[in-house]
Amino acid sequence: MHALIQLTVANVRSFVRDRPTVFWTLAFPLIFVVLFGSIFSGGGAGERTIGWVDGDASSQSAQLRGAFARESNVELVDATEVDALARMRAGDLDAVIVVPAGYGAQVAATAGPRTAPASLVVYTDASQSAASGATFQIVGSVLGRVNLEIAGRGPAVVPEPRTIQTRDLNFISYIVPSILGMALMQLGVFSAVPLVADREKQILKRLNATPLRRWQLVGSNVLMRLLIAIAQAVIIIGVGSALFGVELAGNFALLGALVVLGALSFIALGYVIASFATTEESANGMTSVVQFPLMFLSGTFFPIDGMPDFLQTIARVLPLTYLSDALRQVMVDGTPFAPLWVCFAVLAGFLVVCFGIAARFFRWQ
Amino acid sequence: MTTASVAAEPVIRVSDLRKAYGATRAVDGVSFEVRRGEGFGLLGPNGAGKTTTVEILEGLRRQDSGEATVLGIDVARHPDALKARIGVALQTAALYPKLTVTEVIDLFRSFYGRGRATGELIGLLDLGEKSATQTRQLSGGQRQRLAVALSLVNDPELIFLDEPTTGMDPAARRSLWDLVLALKAEGRTIVLTTHYMEEAEVLCDRLAIMDHGRILESGTVTQLIDSRFHERAVRFERIAELDEKRMAAFPGVTSVRGEDRRVLLYTRDVPATIGAVLTAAEALGEEPQDLAVRRATLEDVFLDLTGRALRD
C-alpha cells in the first residue's frame, strides 16, 4: 500500500507541475461553463425578436398576436412568410411564427365539440438549441393561456415572474452536466499520452525492474485520475451553481458513482489508445481522433433529438452520450435519452470491453 | 584494484541463453558465470545483444530458451523475488521529469521493504546541490548518477549497470568509476555493459566480448590480450641518427612502426629490445625519451576478433 500511495503522490505531483495539462483538464471545461453561462443567462439577453406571419387575418389570429405581444421580452415583427424566413436566415429574427389560413375557423370549432386542434408553425434555428428552447417556452406559455381563454375559463395558473429565470437557466442546466461529461471523457482519454511517454522514456521499464506490482502501477495511475475527476466535478458543478444558479436535483451518491464509473470507462479507453500508440505523438493524434467525435456527436452541446437521423444513430453508440445523459438526469432532472440503468450498464460494459482490450494488447516496454 | 575474495557459488549462471525478435537473434546461445564480489563486463558495440542479455537477468524479459540463475533464483520463474534483491540502472536514465531528485529517490525507496536513507544516497552520488531540482533540469551526467543512486536504494548485493557513463564528461566518468570501485570493495557484485574499453579495463575483473548475440571470448583483461597478442611494443621518442633498418635488427623485434614523433618496436622479448635501444642510444650520446612498454589493448582484441573497431 505504501508504494501505491507514494506512486499516486508522484503522479499527482507530476500532473500538477505540468501547467498546460492542468489548464486543459481543470480550467478549460470551466471556461466552457463560464462562456456558455454568460452567453445564455445574461440579464436582459432573453429579448427575442419574432417574425409574425398572419396567414389567417381573423379575430382569433389577432387575439393570438395580442397574447404574444403582451410578453415583456418579445418583439413582434409583421412580415410575409418568405420575407420573415429570409430575415431569420440573415440573423435579424430569432424565430418566425406562422398562423396558417383557417386558424380562426378551427379554433372556433374547437370551442365546441372536440376536433383536431389548430396548429401554429414555429420556425427556430436548430443549431441554437438554447435560443430555440427559449422560444418554445415562450410559445408554450402563451398558448397555454390562450388555450385556457378559448376553453372559456379564466387562467387557472398564473405564471410566476420566476419562470423567466428558469427559462434562461434551461440551457446552462443542460450544458453543465455535458461539460462535466466532456471533461471526464478528456481526462480519461488523455491518460494515454503520459502513459505512452513513460513507456517511451523507459520509465515503465525501470519501474518494472523493481518489486512494484503492475496492479500498483495501474492502480496509482487510476487513483490519481479519479482524484482529478472528483476535483473536476466539484469545480464544474460549483461554478455552475454559484455563478449561474444551476440547481442540483439528484442525489450525490448517485452522482459520485456516475463520475467514478464515467472516469473509469474513459481511462480504460485511454489505456486502449496507449496499447496501440507507440510514440507520444501518435498517442496525441489518436487521442484527438477519438475525442472530437465523442465531444460533438454525444449531445454535449446540442440535444440529440435535434440531430439528423444518421447522427442520432452514431450518438446512440457513443459511450459519452450515455455518460452525459445520465449526468443530466442525476444532476438537473433532465429529460432522459435512455433510462438511467441503461446508461450505467452501457458505461460498465464499455469499461469491461476496454479493460479486456488493454489487458490483451498493452505493452510495458 | 584488488581482486575480491571469490566464493564458490557463482552469483550469476547463464547457459545457452537465446532470445530472438522476429528474425533477429538478439541473444544467440550465451553462457557465462559471474562470481561473488567481482566486476563482470559485457563489452561490445551497440546492437551486440548486451542489453537484452542483461534485461533477461534483471527479470525484464523472458528468454526463448536457456537457463539463467541469478542469486540462486531462476529468473524466468521468479522474477519478482529477484527484483527485490538486485539493483538496476538502465541505459536511458529519464525518470519522472517533473519530480525532484529527492522525490524520485523517496519514491523508489517505497518500492522496497528495506534500503538506504535518501540523504545518504544523495551524498554518495554527490547530488546534494541538485536534491531539490526537477530531474528534467539535470545534466546527462547528473541523470546517470541519479540512475545509479536509484540502483542502490535497496542496498543490493548485485548491481546491473547498463552503459553507466554514456554521455558523461571525463571527470564525471572518473568519479562514477571511483564509486563503482567502492561498491565493489564493499563486496558487491557489479555486472556492467559498456562499449568503452577503458571503462571495462578499470572496472571489470573479467569480461565477455559480445558481437551479434554471441560471446566471442571471455576472461580477465590480461588473458584476453595475452591469448591473442604475444607481442608488446617498446615505444620511445625518435632518435634521428637511429634509422628504422637498424632497429629492425634489434633482438626480439618483429616490426617497426612510426607514430608521430615516436617509434614503436614490436617485440617478443621486451628486456632484450630495451637493452639494445639503450646501448645504441648511449653509443650515439643520446638518452631515449619517454621510454615505455605498450601492450595491446582490448580495442586491439576486439578488432582482431571482429575485424571492426569497437566504436563504429
Side-chain angles (χ1 to χ4, degrees), chain A residues 261 265 268 319 341-356:
Chain A
L261 179 62
S265 306
W341 73 266
V342 171
C343 296
F344 270 93
V346 167
L347 289 172
F350 182 67
L351 170 61
V352 169
V353 169
C354 287
F355 184 85

Side-chain angles (χ1 to χ4, degrees), chain B:
Chain B
M1 171 171 50
T2 56
T3 310
S5 62
V6 175
E9 177 64 10
V11 172
I12 297 176
R13 181 180 281 154
V14 175
S15 77
D16 201 26
L17 205 64
R18 287 169 200 276
K19 175 82 181 174
Y21 298 107
T24 314
R25 286 185 236 165
V27 179
D28 194 12
V30 163
S31 304
F32 61 88
E33 286 187 357
V34 177
R35 295 171 206 138
R36 192 168 299 279
E38 80 175 339
F40 182 84
L42 286 170
L43 182 71
N46 291 328
K50 306 178 306 248
T51 297
T52 306
T53 304
V54 165
E55 285 182 358
I56 292 170
L57 299 179
E58 292 162 349
L60 285 173
R61 293 178 192 279
R62 223 186 145 133
Q63 70 267 36
D64 296 335
S65 67
E67 302 272 313
T69 311
V70 176
L71 298 170
I73 300 165
D74 183 336
V75 296
R77 288 222 186 100
H78 306 290
D80 289 330
L82 174 69
K83 285 170 186 173
R85 290 177 59 192
I86 60 171
V88 170
L90 296 180
Q91 202 168 348
T92 38
L95 272 163
Y96 288 102
K98 306 264 178 194
L99 295 190
T100 68
V101 169
T102 305
E103 286 166 351
V104 172
I105 296 176
D106 279 338
L107 173 66
F108 273 70
R109 289 182 66 234
S110 77
F111 301 157
Y112 300 90
R114 60 186 180 136
R116 301 169 80 144
T118 303
E120 189 192 335
L121 289 167
I122 285 176
L124 196 62
L125 273 296
D126 200 20
L127 287 164
E129 278 176 29
K130 297 287 170 186
S131 61
T133 304
Q134 292 185 11
T135 66
R136 68 199 160 102
Q137 288 159 339
L138 297 178
S139 71
Q142 290 162 344
R143 213 167 283 172
Q144 292 284 0
R145 294 215 301 273
L146 175 59
V148 174
L150 292 177
S151 75
L152 301 176
V153 290
N154 58 333
D155 204 11
E157 55 203 290
L158 168 62
I159 302 161
F160 292 93
L161 304 172
D162 198 354
E163 307 271 357
T165 62
T166 304
M168 281 190 175
D169 61 55
R173 181 169 297 160
R174 250 316 142 188
S175 86
L176 191 82
W177 288 352
D178 288 342
L179 174 75
V180 174
L181 291 174
L183 292 169
K184 212 149 74 73
E186 290 170 12
R188 296 175 212 270
T189 310
I190 312 285
V191 173
L192 129 127
T193 72
T194 185
H195 59 263
Y196 295 118
M197 270 152 349
E198 199 190 348
E199 184 162 286
E201 289 190 36
V202 172
L203 299 181
C204 300
D205 302 308
R206 286 192 314 120
L207 278 170
I209 295 180
M210 275 192 90
D211 197 23
H212 300 303
R214 291 167 181 276
I215 289 181
L216 303 176
E217 200 138 329
S218 60
T220 65
V221 174
T222 314
Q223 280 168 355
L224 284 171
I225 292 168
D226 288 354
S227 68
R228 318 215 134 238
F229 298 97
H230 305 293
E231 300 170 349
R232 307 266 168 117
V234 172
R235 188 190 68 183
F236 53 95
E237 280 191 22
R238 192 184 291 280
I239 298 169
E241 296 85 357
L242 203 55
D243 65 22
E244 292 198 359
K245 218 177 253 177
R246 202 176 141 203
M247 289 189 286
F250 284 170
V253 171
T254 53
S255 64
V256 178
R257 214 178 86 207
E259 192 183 66
D260 301 332
R261 289 162 37 238
R262 299 192 183 117
V263 66
L264 283 170
L265 305 181
Y266 286 90
T267 174
R268 286 197 195 89
D269 188 346
V270 173
T273 304
I274 291 180
V277 169
L278 290 173
T279 311
E282 200 175 12
L284 293 165
E286 298 264 1
E287 196 180 329
Q289 298 295 309
D290 204 10
L291 180 66
V293 179
R294 177 188 176 279
R295 65 174 188 185
T297 64
L298 285 171
E299 183 81 57
D300 298 319
V301 174
F302 189 81
L303 193 67
D304 192 50
L305 280 167
T306 67
R308 300 185 279 129
L310 194 55
R311 264 195 282 168
D312 278 346

Side-chain angles (χ1 to χ4, degrees), chain A:
Chain A
M1 280 318 271
H2 184 54
L4 181 68
I5 291 163
Q6 286 287 323
L7 201 54
T8 307
V9 170
N11 283 329
V12 170
R13 276 185 179 140
S14 294
F15 173 84
V16 170
R17 287 172 193 172
D18 187 8
R19 305 284 172 216
T21 310
V22 172
F23 174 81
W24 286 106
T25 322
L26 297 178
F28 185 65
L30 206 56
I31 288 172
F32 264 81
V33 173
V34 173
L35 204 65
F36 281 109
S38 310
I39 292 172
F40 296 107
S41 68
E47 199 74 28
R48 324 205 65 73
T49 312
I50 297 176
W52 186 262
V53 181
D54 191 346
D56 192 45
S58 60
S59 63
Q60 284 87 351
S61 67
Q63 189 193 359
L64 190 61
R65 189 187 188 286
F68 274 100
R70 278 197 295 279
E71 288 290 302
S72 60
N73 56 349
V74 168
E75 195 198 334
L76 290 180
V77 177
D78 293 293
T80 65
E81 185 164 356
V82 176
D83 186 29
L85 290 180
R87 288 175 68 180
M88 187 179 154
R89 284 201 186 88
D92 294 340
L93 299 175
D94 295 306
V96 172
I97 297 176
V98 180
V99 185
Y103 168 83
Q106 218 169 347
V107 169
T110 316
R114 281 276 148 221
T115 53
S119 66
L120 202 61
V121 181
V122 181
Y123 292 97
T124 58
D125 183 350
S127 66
Q128 310 252 334
S129 52
S132 51
T135 302
F136 277 111
Q137 291 232 342
I138 297 171
V139 172
S141 75
V142 170
L143 291 186
R145 261 176 293 142
V146 170
N147 282 336
L148 285 171
E149 282 167 29
I150 291 167
R153 286 177 264 135
V157 182
V158 180
E160 288 180 32
R162 223 185 321 145
T163 48
I164 293 164
Q165 255 200 349
T166 316
R167 174 174 68 227
D168 287 341
L169 277 177
N170 203 32
F171 184 66
I172 189 77
S173 297
Y174 178 87
I175 207 80
V176 166
S178 294
I179 287 171
L180 177 56
M182 179 192 82
L184 293 175
M185 178 274 287
Q186 286 181 327
L187 174 74
V189 170
F190 270 105
S191 65
V193 178
L195 204 57
V196 172
D198 282 2
R199 179 173 51 205
E200 221 182 347
K201 289 183 199 133
Q202 304 210 342
I203 293 174
L204 294 186
K205 189 199 251 184
R206 182 62 187 87
L207 293 175
N208 198 18
T210 72
L212 185 77
R213 304 294 165 125
R214 281 178 181 173
W215 70 262
Q216 292 176 309
L217 181 54
V218 175
S220 70
N221 235 311
V222 171
L223 214 55
M224 183 263 298
R225 301 238 157 221
L226 286 182
L227 289 175
I228 298 168
I230 291 165
Q232 281 181 325
V234 169
I235 291 174
I236 292 171
I237 295 170
V239 168
S241 62
L243 294 187
F244 307 110
V246 173
E247 280 173 45
L248 279 185
N251 92 45
F252 280 95
L254 207 54
L255 178 59
L258 205 50
V259 167
V260 169
L261 179 62
L264 283 178
S265 306
F266 287 103
I267 290 168
L269 180 60
Y271 273 76
V272 169
I273 293 172
S275 302
F276 297 103
T278 48
T279 62
E280 195 174 343
E281 287 73 26
S282 67
N284 252 319
M286 286 167 76
T287 302
S288 302
V289 166
V290 167
Q291 71 146 331
F292 282 110
L294 278 174
M295 204 152 101
F296 291 111
L297 299 177
S298 296
T300 303
F301 300 115
F302 1 89
I304 292 162
D305 317 338
M307 290 181 177
D309 283 350
F310 78 101
L311 287 183
Q312 285 200 33
T313 312
I314 295 172
R316 230 174 278 279
V317 299
L318 296 178
L320 182 57
T321 305
Y322 296 89
L323 176 59
S324 297
D325 189 52
L327 285 169
R328 239 172 264 131
Q329 289 181 48
V330 171
M331 283 167 67
V332 294
D333 242 349
T335 322
F337 165 75
L340 199 54
W341 73 266
V342 171
C343 296
F344 270 93
V346 167
L347 289 172
F350 182 67
L351 170 61
V352 169
V353 169
C354 287
F355 184 85
I357 294 173
R360 169 74 183 75
F361 293 105
F362 190 80
R363 292 279 167 269
W364 294 90
Q365 40 190 302

